[in-house]
Amino acid sequence: MKRKNVLLSFVMLLTVSLFLAACGSSGGNGGSGDGDGAEKPQFLSMLTGGTSGTYYPLGGELSKIITDETGIETTANSSNASADNMAALAAGDAELAFTQTDVASNAIEGINSFEGKAIDNVLAIGSLYPETIQIVTSADSGIESVEDLKGKTVSVGAPGSGTYVNAEQILEAHGLSIEDDIEAQNLDFGESTGGIQDGTIDAAFITAGTPTGAVEGLSATVDVKIVPIAEDKIEELVAEFPYYAKDVIPAGTYGLEEDVTTVAVLAMLVVTDSLSEDVVYDITKAIYENTDKISHAKGEFIKKESALNGVGIDLHPGAEKYFKEAGILE
């Protein structure tokens, strides 16, 4: 009998020990919890853009910073960029993504390419750098203005990309439509510049930070022209779509002989609301406190002081916490 009591006591002690161990590892101040009761993930997927654009190489650097600073293995993956990235986050296919500020606003509001498909589980981390709308052609194409695109074969961006929306809005501001006035091609940046080089297309809309790798590659073999947007049309676009801003591509870029006026939106990072406040706080802090580790040319524009510029959707609570601590938000 005594032996049975000892055995029973041992079993009870073991059960209590296992229960306490489980409690200690499920959040709180220890184990793999991240401090707010949610589990800290081991892996994160970041969606970027095409391999010949700006998102992909910059995303690779940001992913490394997040991995090094937070201990969460983060991988940058190529994609069709902005609009597709928002849809993928909504579907739970990734946790982080690059997108354009205008595309994010459209997705949350359920307008333009998101008509009837509003997204409600994606929040902002912060903006990164200006993304310039570049209407690229060759110097001998005869295309001098946006109106000259009528009847031409023009790439308007990969399906689901923010570039498509920009092309649609800019063409409409000039009295043109994608469906009726141009021969539209849905190509990514590399395919677009390749098409201009071999003559299969006449021009391409490319929304990306300048200089863009694909356009630089084109300028090595072809004299590049960037079609300007007239000042009055810029004013119209900004008045109707406040996420646009006037931008200038400086002379010397791609071998240009003079400055070219155009418009820009902002690149931003977004995240699903499934990630906890503590995890997103750590991610946000990792990015904006380690910009000196970014070798990409766009790194100079990534600053906590300007991280809320153009952000038209709600911040994730983790990002909000960081920007309040940094004195950017009250």
Side-chain angles (χ1 to χ4, degrees):
M1 187 73 175
K2 184 176 181 181
R3 184 175 179 183
K4 286 184 179 180
N5 288 337
V6 171
L7 181 59
L8 180 61
S9 297
F10 175 75
V11 171
M12 291 179 65
L13 180 61
L14 179 61
T15 301
V16 170
S17 298
L18 290 172
F19 174 77
L20 291 175
C23 290
S25 65
S26 63
N29 297 320
S32 60
D34 69 352
D36 64 356
E39 195 77 9
K40 180 176 179 178
Q42 291 182 299
F43 304 99
L44 292 172
S45 176
M46 175 189 288
L47 298 176
T48 60
T51 56
S52 56
T54 301
Y55 285 177
Y56 183 72
L58 181 58
E61 294 197 42
L62 295 185
S63 293
K64 184 178 188 307
I65 288 172
I66 294 170
T67 299
D68 292 345
E69 297 296 321
T70 70
I72 304 172
E73 186 68 35
T74 305
T75 304
N77 300 299
S78 62
S79 72
N80 278 337
S82 296
D84 273 12
N85 288 355
M86 291 293 292
L89 289 190
D93 296 334
E95 293 78 35
L96 297 160
F98 280 70
T99 190
Q100 294 171 201
T101 49
D102 55 329
V103 174
S105 294
N106 290 341
I108 299 303
E109 294 174 28
I111 60 175
N112 291 326
S113 58
F114 293 92
E115 188 74 41
K117 299 177 289 185
I119 290 173
D120 62 4
N121 68 329
V122 176
L123 298 167
I125 286 181
S127 59
L128 302 171
Y129 63 88
E131 287 199 274
T132 307
I133 288 84
Q134 306 164 72
I135 307 174
V136 184
T137 187
S138 62
D140 61 2
S141 67
I143 299 172
E144 300 294 330
S145 66
V146 177
E147 289 87 351
D148 290 339
L149 295 174
K150 186 172 183 177
K152 303 293 186 182
T153 302
V154 183
S155 172
V156 293
S161 72
T163 301
Y164 185 94
V165 175
N166 301 144
E168 185 175 48
Q169 292 169 342
I170 290 168
L171 288 170
E172 287 180 354
H174 292 81
L176 304 175
S177 77
I178 287 179
E179 293 81 9
D180 301 328
D181 296 309
I182 64 171
E183 293 293 329
Q185 299 291 311
N186 300 114
L187 308 176
D188 66 24
F189 296 164
E191 292 168 337
S192 295
T193 53
I196 292 171
Q197 183 175 346
D198 62 27
T200 57
I201 67 171
D202 300 301
F205 282 82
I206 291 180
T207 301
T210 57
T212 306
V215 185
E216 283 191 306
L218 177 65
S219 69
T221 58
V222 173
D223 289 335
V224 166
K225 180 179 181 62
I226 305 295
V227 180
I229 299 177
E231 293 282 352
D232 62 326
K233 296 301 183 183
I234 291 174
E235 292 174 6
E236 287 180 25
L237 283 163
V238 173
E240 186 173 0
F241 308 107
Y243 42 72
Y244 281 120
K246 179 181 176 180
D247 199 10
V248 176
I249 303 173
T253 309
Y254 314 131
L256 298 173
E257 295 182 357
E258 55 186 28
D259 293 351
V260 177
T261 57
T262 184
V263 289
V265 290
L266 286 163
M268 70 185 295
L269 271 181
V270 290
V271 62
T272 61
D273 61 8
S274 62
L275 290 183
S276 71
E277 178 178 319
D278 283 0
V279 167
V280 176
Y281 170 86
D282 289 344
I283 291 170
T284 310
K285 183 174 183 178
I287 292 169
Y288 290 100
E289 297 290 332
N290 291 279
T291 56
D292 59 319
K293 297 178 182 177
I294 301 172
S295 62
H296 193 283
K298 290 302 166 188
E300 66 176 291
F301 296 98
I302 303 175
K303 301 175 182 177
K304 61 185 176 184
E305 292 80 8
S306 59
L308 302 183
N309 291 353
V311 174
I313 66 173
D314 290 341
L315 288 171
H316 190 286
E320 184 176 355
K321 177 182 176 182
Y322 167 76
F323 289 119
K324 284 182 176 178
E325 286 187 3
I328 310 301
L329 273 177
E330 293 184 2

